[in-house]
Amino acid sequence: DYQIQQKMFSARNKLANTNLSVKEIAASLGYEDQHYFSFMFKKRCGMSPTQYRKKVRAEYAAREAKKPK
């Protein structure tokens, strides 16, 4: 369980901070099956990896837009 928790932490970091595909992220974390990785991610994080990436990037863009220039 701890290993899965650590993998999901790493996955969230890679989704937020890289342009790696979900398949590439899954492989980098030892998941041979992208669909199983996506299933595990959704089970742990409440949304798909793609949804997570979009949410995090939208939140970042909103914060950046509020910063004074």
Side-chain angles (χ1 to χ4, degrees), residues 23-48:
K23 183 176 183 175
E24 290 170 317
I25 293 170
S28 77
L29 297 172
Y31 290 93
E32 293 179 19
D33 184 342
Q34 171 188 344
H35 299 289
Y36 181 70
F37 166 74
S38 293
F39 168 79
M40 291 299 292
F41 188 92
K42 187 170 185 176
K43 183 177 177 182
R44 296 281 177 154
C45 302
M47 63 186 76
S48 74

